[in-house]
């Protein structure tokens, strides 16, 4: 679920239903004769061919349906049919019909469809990506790479998606762009509209989320971009030379699993290189998770997947998207602030934020909350954040109010949002908000003014983890450290399909908005992955992820640790391996590679049955062969283990992707209560792509040590390859 600075999509309460056919369809209770959408996962017959024609595939899928439905030609009974993401189909069924299908020996799983929530001008510069002399000069800009996005659609006419200077799409592209209402080009090369079934309409964006994430990942250079004049600069995505394909699977209510699966199906078939997914729901067992199953198929095809960690922080164990075969991205701030200073009648001042920077608001009466019984004309209203900032402001404006102070919640710490407000406003962090509440309660005639001080760069500390960014440990696989990484996700300025602010005249094609959420951080990493893929076409998704994680930084500005929302040092369940460092990702020196077989055996080690593993991997009878892989033994660029164990001994394998002849020495950094050794202590390589295996041994007193964090690093003359260790 995305947390916008405007909070346009906040909460995404599971209301409103998608009707796939003319009869009443429910995604909730399927009692009696009412129909629900189900996804049916089937296993292939012995002589199955992936080259089966669509007509023959549909005929085979009909064989799983109850007799009355199977004879429904010529009209297809299916909403979606799949063959790339899974073998199976989405169909509307009564509960009795679903139970009938489950009795078929060829059926692996039947899932009731569910709604999954949707979870820039300065970020390139903050990440040292600069056109002249910066990392882009040596890294490239994602040329020849196709990024697919599962989202709310895209504004085809936005200037961020012009194709000036773009190369022709690669010959491998198998997608299409045949829309009457919109036109593609060499930047925006295609996509599909898949809500409630594939339809011929263009995947246009009537929400804003998809346009924003697409331009964050790969928008072209746009000079003079700003939000209502704030944050002025040159907008660019992380991979401005990469191509884009949009798969519209979400609307303002969220995204249904059957449509998400159809989006992954289309993206895999179209042969994208990177898949950016800024959505996610509650943690589920992997074999019950549509995202887990579809992304496993994408990974098998060599597609790198970047997913949002979720916006359920700062509580622990509230992650979305915990699977180890894709990158899970948390959100952090950057060093830009759009200042809106609140001055109270007692003389105290507090620096808040707003993207709308009108003339200063003179001192006016200050009141708390909207109260229908009290006249708010000409007053400043202080509100708790319960919904969209912009909508709250519009309500106050419509009622005659003159200003708005949004009060950060107690658990939100020092995170602030710069929304495109419709009236003079300021968002205050939690400590400052508490002071304003106290002032209103204790003053006989509270007053406040708002002074707008423009955009400042270089503010510190930065990066800081956003309060909403979901934290580990993982609930479904606690032995894998998640999130994997953090990246910019607060007040990100990127393309928007319609005008924002107080004067909403049409400025189609040149509108930008400032919004926040792990929905914003995930496409940053999608674009960075495209840069890596462009330089290393033969690297696997695991190798790309390793390069991102092992080059991340955990300290900044003279060795200061990255902080959390309360300005305390952030742990690895908050930042993963650290903050992405694009300057280093192309040449990490060593990578931890992982193949499909390892992931499959890891699933066996988690205790999944043969049937459940087959549901995820398409492989039959794997676990009954007796080979399993413990979580800690997965060749992952990090280590996480329970404190109650008292010890851990694991192997890791690194592959040389740096100089053919190179030597690395290990360095460990663990608290004194943990004994850590790595054997051997030195790795000597004599050729490219040579692999070496080593053993990490950890021991501690389980009765005394409950939490400990540290790392080990392989260090050469050119590289530092860092892996975090967490004992919890």
């Amino acid at each position: 679920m995305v947390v916008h600075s405007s909070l346009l999509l906040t909460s995404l309460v599971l209301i409103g239903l998608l009707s796939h056919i003319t009869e009443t369809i429910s995604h909730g209770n399927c009692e009696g004769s009412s129909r629900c959408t189900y996804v049916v996962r089937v296993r292939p017959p012995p002589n199955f061919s992936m080259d089966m024609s669509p007509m023959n595939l549909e005929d085979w899928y009909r064989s799983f349906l109850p007799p009355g439905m199977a004879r429904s030609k010529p009209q297809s009974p299916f909403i979606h049919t799949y063959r790339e993401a899974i073998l199976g189909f989405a169909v509307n069924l009564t509960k009795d019909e679903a139970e009938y299908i489950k009795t078929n020996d060829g059926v692996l799983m039947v899932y009731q469809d569910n709604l999954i929530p949707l979870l820039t001008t300065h970020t390139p510069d903050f990440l040292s990506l600069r056109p002249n002399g910066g990392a882009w000069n040596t890294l490239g800009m994602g040329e020849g790479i196709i990024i697919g996005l599962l989202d709310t659609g895209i504004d085809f006419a936005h200037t961020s998606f012009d194709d000036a200077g773009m190369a022709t799409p690669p010959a491998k592209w198998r997608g299409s762009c045949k829309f009457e209402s919109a036109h593609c080009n060499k930047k925006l090369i295609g996509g599909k509209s898949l809500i409630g079934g594939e339809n011929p309409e263009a995947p246009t964006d009537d929400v804003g989320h998809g346009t924003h994430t697409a331009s964050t990942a790969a928008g072209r250079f746009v000079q003079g971009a700003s939000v209502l004049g704030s944050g002025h600069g040159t907008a660019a995505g992380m991979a401005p030379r990469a191509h884009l394909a949009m798969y519209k699977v979400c609307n303002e209510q969220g995204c249904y699993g059957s449509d998400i699966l159809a989006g992954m199906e289309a993206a895999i078939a179209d042969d994208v290189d990177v898949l950016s997914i800024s959505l996610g729901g509650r943690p589920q067992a992997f074999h019950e998770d549509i995202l887990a199953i579809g992304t496993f198929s994408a990974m098998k095809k060599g597609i790198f997947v970047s997913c949002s960690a979720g916006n359920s922080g700062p509580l622990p164990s509230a992650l979305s998207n915990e699977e180890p075969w894709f990158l899970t991205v948390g959100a952090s701030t950057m060093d830009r602030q759009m200042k809106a200073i609140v001055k109270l009648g007692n003389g105290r001042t507090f620096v808040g934020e707003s993207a709308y920077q009108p003339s200063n608001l003179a001192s006016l009466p200050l009141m708390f909350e909207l109260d229908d019984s009290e006249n708010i004309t000409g007053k400043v209203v202080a509100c708790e954040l319960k919904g969209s900032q912009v909508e709250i402001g519009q309500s106050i404006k419509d009622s005659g109010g003159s200003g708005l102070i949004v009060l950060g919640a107690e658990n939100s710490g020092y995170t602030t949002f710069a929304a495109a407000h419709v009236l003079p406003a300021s968002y205050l962090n939690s400590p400052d908000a508490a002071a304003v509440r106290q002032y209103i309660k204790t003053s006989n005639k509270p007053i406040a003014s708002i002074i707008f001080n423009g955009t400042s760069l270089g503010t510190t500390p930065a990066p800081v983890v956003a309060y909403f960014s979901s934290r580990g440990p993982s609930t479904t696989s606690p032995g894998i450290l998640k999130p994997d990484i953090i990246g910019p996700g607060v007040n990100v300025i990127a393309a928007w399909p319609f005008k924002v602010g107080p004067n909403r005249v049409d400025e189609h094609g040149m509108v930008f908005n400032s919004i926040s959420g792990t929905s914003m951080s995930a496409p940053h990493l999608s674009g960075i992955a495209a840069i890596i893929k462009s330089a290393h076409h033969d690297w696997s998704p695991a190798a790309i992820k390793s390069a991102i994680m092992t080059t991340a930084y955990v300290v900044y500005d003279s060795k200061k640790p990255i902080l959390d929302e309360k300005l305390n040092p952030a742990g690895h369940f908050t930042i993963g391996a650290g903050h992405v460092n694009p300057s280093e990702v192309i040449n990490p020196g060593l990578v931890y590679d992982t193949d499909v077989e390892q992931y499959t055996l890891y699933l066996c080690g988690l205790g999944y049955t043969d049937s459940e593993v087959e549901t995820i991997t398409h492989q039959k009878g794997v676990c009954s062969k007796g080979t399993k892989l413990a979580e800690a033994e997965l060749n992952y660029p990090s280590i996480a283990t329970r404190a109650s164990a008292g010890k851990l001994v694991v192997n890791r394998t690194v592959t040389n992707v740096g100089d053919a002849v190179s030597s690395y020495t290990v360095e460990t950094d663990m608290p004194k209560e943990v004994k850590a050794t790595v054997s051997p202590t030195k790795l000597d390589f004599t050729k490219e792509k040579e692999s070496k295996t080593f053993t990490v041994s950890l021991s501690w007193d389980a009765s005394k040590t409950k939490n400990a964090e540290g790392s080990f690093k392989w260090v050469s003359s050119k590289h530092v390859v860092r892996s975090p260790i967490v004992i919890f």
Side-chain angles (χ1 to χ4, degrees):
M1 179 174 62
V2 62
V3 176
H4 287 212
S5 62
S6 63
L7 290 175
L8 181 64
L9 298 175
T10 191
S11 298
L12 287 173
V13 180
L14 304 190
I15 59 172
L17 306 173
L18 297 178
S19 292
H20 293 310
I21 57 178
T22 55
E23 62 185 303
T24 301
I25 303 300
S26 169
H27 286 80
N29 188 358
C30 300
E31 297 299 329
S33 60
S34 62
R35 291 181 178 271
C36 284
T37 301
Y38 289 87
V39 175
V40 180
R41 174 80 167 82
V42 302
R43 61 164 53 97
N47 298 321
F48 175 78
S49 171
M50 290 295 287
D51 296 327
M52 181 185 294
S53 71
M55 183 177 296
N56 289 340
L57 184 70
E58 182 166 314
D59 284 343
W60 175 46
Y61 287 161
R62 283 176 183 266
S63 71
F64 295 96
L65 300 177
M69 295 187 69
R71 294 192 295 268
S72 63
K73 290 184 178 182
Q75 181 180 3
S76 173
F78 301 114
I79 301 164
H80 297 291
T81 58
Y82 314 106
R83 79 163 84 200
E84 298 285 353
I86 63 167
L87 287 176
F89 50 88
V91 64
N92 291 316
L93 304 168
T94 65
K95 186 175 181 181
D96 289 344
E97 289 168 342
E99 292 300 321
Y100 173 89
I101 290 175
K102 289 179 183 179
T103 63
N104 191 305
D105 289 340
V107 172
L108 284 167
M109 288 285 290
V110 178
Y111 311 84
Q112 187 178 333
D113 208 3
N114 64 305
L115 188 66
I116 297 174
L118 286 163
L119 286 192
T120 103
T121 57
H122 182 59
T123 48
D125 193 57
F126 181 63
L127 296 173
S128 299
L129 296 171
R130 303 181 184 93
N132 300 311
W136 267 328
N137 279 16
T138 54
L139 301 183
M141 299 185 188
E143 292 90 342
I145 299 302
I146 303 166
I147 301 176
L149 296 100
L150 305 185
D151 220 298
T152 63
I154 194 166
D155 180 1
F156 281 74
H158 201 285
T159 188
S160 289
F161 309 121
D162 289 351
D163 63 355
M166 287 293 299
T168 302
K172 72 172 191 137
W173 169 245
R174 294 185 290 184
S176 62
C177 180
K178 298 176 182 177
F179 311 119
E180 293 184 3
S181 60
H183 300 284
C184 292
N185 56 28
K186 290 184 286 187
K187 160 62 74 175
L188 180 49
I189 60 176
K192 290 181 171 67
S193 185
L194 296 159
I195 295 177
E198 185 172 351
N199 63 74
E201 296 177 2
T204 54
D205 186 6
D206 52 8
V207 176
H209 190 273
T211 299
H212 197 279
T213 57
S215 63
T216 299
R220 77 171 187 91
F221 294 100
V222 179
Q223 295 182 350
S226 72
V227 181
L228 304 175
S230 298
H232 190 276
T234 299
M238 298 297 99
R241 301 297 186 204
H243 308 281
L244 286 168
M246 174 59 70
Y247 303 92
K248 183 174 181 176
V249 299
C250 308
N251 60 17
E252 62 184 3
Q253 296 167 325
C255 331
Y256 278 104
S258 57
D259 299 330
I260 293 169
L261 199 56
M264 288 189 275
E265 170 82 9
I268 294 169
D270 290 346
D271 210 3
V272 305
D273 298 291
V274 174
L275 198 51
S276 190
I277 303 178
S278 289
L279 52 93
R282 59 179 177 79
Q284 291 177 282
F286 293 160
H287 70 287
E288 297 175 346
D289 187 342
I290 290 294
L291 274 171
I293 296 166
T295 55
F296 195 96
S297 297
M299 177 272 297
K300 287 174 66 176
K301 295 292 181 70
I303 298 171
F304 180 90
V305 182
S306 175
C307 289
S308 301
N311 297 334
S312 298
L315 296 175
S317 296
L319 287 162
S320 297
N321 305 320
E322 302 168 302
E323 292 76 5
W325 45 87
F326 54 65
L327 188 75
T328 305
V329 188
S332 57
T333 66
M334 64 189 89
D335 64 343
R336 176 179 62 202
Q337 193 173 33
M338 302 177 219
K339 293 183 178 179
I341 301 169
V342 173
K343 184 175 182 179
L344 303 180
N346 61 7
R348 296 191 67 183
T349 60
F350 306 97
V351 179
E353 290 205 71
S354 173
Y356 177 44
Q357 299 265 318
S359 299
N360 294 342
L361 183 68
S363 291
L364 293 170
L366 172 64
M367 61 176 286
F368 184 70
E369 293 284 4
L370 268 174
D371 186 345
D372 294 335
S373 64
E374 186 174 352
N375 184 6
I376 69 170
T377 301
K379 296 180 180 179
V380 178
V381 181
C383 288
E384 305 294 342
L385 185 57
K386 297 177 181 177
S388 162
Q389 288 190 68
V390 173
E391 290 177 2
I392 292 171
Q394 187 66 60
S395 177
I396 291 170
K397 184 178 181 181
D398 292 345
S399 300
S402 296
L404 167 65
I405 299 173
V406 183
L407 304 174
E410 183 178 354
N411 69 348
S412 65
Y414 288 86
T415 303
T416 55
F417 299 121
H421 285 285
V422 297
L423 81 171
S426 179
Y427 185 106
L428 296 182
N429 66 37
S430 177
D432 293 347
V436 171
R437 291 188 193 95
Q438 183 64 22
Y439 168 71
I440 295 173
K441 290 177 181 178
T442 58
S443 175
N444 291 328
K445 294 183 178 180
I447 59 173
S449 61
I450 304 177
I451 302 162
F452 297 96
N453 205 26
T455 303
S456 298
L457 301 179
T459 57
T460 58
V464 172
V465 182
Y467 82 88
F468 58 78
S469 186
S470 291
R471 319 292 160 97
S474 166
T475 57
T476 51
S477 184
I480 299 295
L481 176 60
K482 288 281 182 171
D484 293 307
I485 200 80
I486 57 171
V490 179
N491 301 331
V492 174
I493 295 177
W496 201 249
F498 32 79
K499 185 71 172 66
V500 297
N503 302 309
R504 297 185 180 182
V505 296
D506 184 29
E507 287 186 17
H508 192 66
M510 188 58 183
V511 179
F512 293 82
N513 199 6
S514 168
I515 61 177
S516 302
T518 55
S519 278
M520 284 61 255
S521 50
H524 277 91
L525 272 297
S526 302
I528 290 166
I531 292 173
I532 302 173
K533 186 74 172 179
S534 180
H536 304 288
H537 280 276
D538 60 334
W539 281 17
S540 70
I544 295 172
K545 177 163 64 172
S546 174
I548 291 170
M549 292 174 64
T550 61
T551 59
Y553 63 87
V554 295
V555 295
Y556 73 100
D557 189 20
S558 302
K559 305 299 183 182
K560 296 177 183 176
I562 293 175
L563 304 177
D564 66 14
E565 74 286 347
K566 293 188 176 179
L567 303 186
N568 297 318
H572 283 297
F573 282 131
T574 299
I575 64 172
H579 193 282
V580 63
N581 185 5
S583 299
E584 303 293 331
V585 294
I586 286 290
N587 188 16
L590 305 174
V591 294
Y592 294 81
D593 210 349
T594 311
D595 57 20
V596 173
E597 181 182 8
Q598 276 202 46
Y599 288 125
T600 304
L601 297 179
Y602 148 83
L603 291 169
C604 296
L606 285 177
Y608 289 107
T609 65
D610 275 344
S611 177
E612 290 167 345
V613 171
E614 184 183 0
T615 301
I616 302 166
T617 69
H618 305 263
Q619 298 181 57
K620 189 174 182 179
V622 177
C623 302
S624 58
K625 297 176 183 177
T627 305
K628 298 180 180 180
L629 196 68
E631 291 173 288
E633 283 288 353
L634 188 66
N635 199 42
Y636 215 69
S638 58
I639 293 175
T641 185
R642 295 284 192 186
S644 57
K647 64 178 181 179
L648 180 70
V649 179
V650 293
N651 297 314
R652 289 287 189 269
T653 299
V654 287
T655 301
N656 180 27
V657 294
D659 294 339
V661 178
S662 54
S663 181
Y664 291 80
T665 303
V666 75
E667 296 180 7
T668 58
D669 180 16
M670 291 297 295
K672 61 182 181 180
E673 64 265 26
V674 179
K675 182 180 179 182
T677 60
V678 178
S679 179
T681 59
K682 188 177 181 183
L683 301 177
D684 293 314
F685 296 92
T686 58
K687 57 185 177 182
E688 293 181 12
K689 297 185 179 179
E690 183 180 5
S691 295
K692 298 279 187 180
T693 298
F694 59 92
T695 301
V696 179
S697 300
L698 305 169
S699 61
W700 60 93
D701 186 339
S703 65
K704 296 180 180 179
T705 301
K706 303 304 179 185
N707 293 280
E709 294 192 0
S711 67
F712 67 92
K713 299 180 285 190
W714 289 107
V715 182
S716 74
S717 59
K718 295 183 178 180
H719 303 287
V720 175
V721 186
R722 182 183 183 277
S723 291
I725 299 173
V726 179
I727 299 169
F728 65 100

